[in-house]
Amino acid sequence: MKLVVGNQKAYLKRDEVLDFIEKTKNYDCSETIICPSSVYLDLYLDKSNYIVGSQDVGERPLGATTGEISADQLNSIGVAYSLVGHSERRKNQHETGPMLINKINRLFENDITPILCIGETQEEKELNVTKDVIGKQIMEVFDGLDQTKLEKIIIAYEPIWSIGTGLIPTNEEIEDTITYIKDLIVDKYDKRVAVLYGGSVNKGNIDELNKIDLVDGYLIGGASTKVEEFLYIMSKCE
Ligand code: 13P
């Protein structure tokens, strides 16, 4: 079985979310995590049988932080997972390692599982520095956390050049990178963590990707907003 996590980003309006929930409600979604826009978290929690995750979390606890969503609030409505450091947020909101440490600490305090996103740009891939880049992204966060809790983190390896482009690494490249990630975390922190692959996962490539035993699951963007495609991927990951 592979873990399926849908990141619906800011793709859908409310009526489209309701339609998605309605059309998938007769399927067993109880092992699939869906991360909708925060304005729809409650809809999924009330009306669907998905496990619900947030796309982000605030750095600070409850209090005077206008516009932020605190982990305490996410926990109070039943959110079980949260993405942290998605490449779109690292780029657009300038999220840095210290910010991600704060976010993960807030999640730990509230028993919410962090899904830490890492990945290299096209340029970094061409320069052959993928492992340096993702190694740094892991260590700058892991070094700053309570070492006894590291095992609770899920890593999502998402090459930035693959997100939304239809391009994906070869199975050999994914296997090589995920081996590097897992080995680094065993060697340096003596921990085993689950690692997901993300970037243009769709119904056309899921069978091929599933051949990689090392991949513990997928973080799916665009295809998680399309009912038939998402159900198909879920059926292939049972
Ligand atoms: P796509 O599946 O649309 O490429 O997006 C991947 C992603 O960014 C999931 O977090």
Side-chain angles (χ1 to χ4, degrees), residues 4 24 41 57 77 107 112 117 140 149 154 157 204 210 216:
V4 176
T24 59
L41 287 168
V57 62
I77 62 169
L107 295 173
I112 298 172
C117 304
E140 71 181 358
K149 299 198 171 142
I154 296 173
Y157 169 55
N210 268 342
D216 298 300

Side-chain angles (χ1 to χ4, degrees), residues 7 9 11 86 88 158 162-164 198-201 219-223:
N7 172 13
K9 308 192 180 185
Y11 280 123
H86 191 281
E88 287 150 13
E158 299 202 297
S162 171
I163 295 177
S200 293
V201 178
L219 180 53
I220 300 165

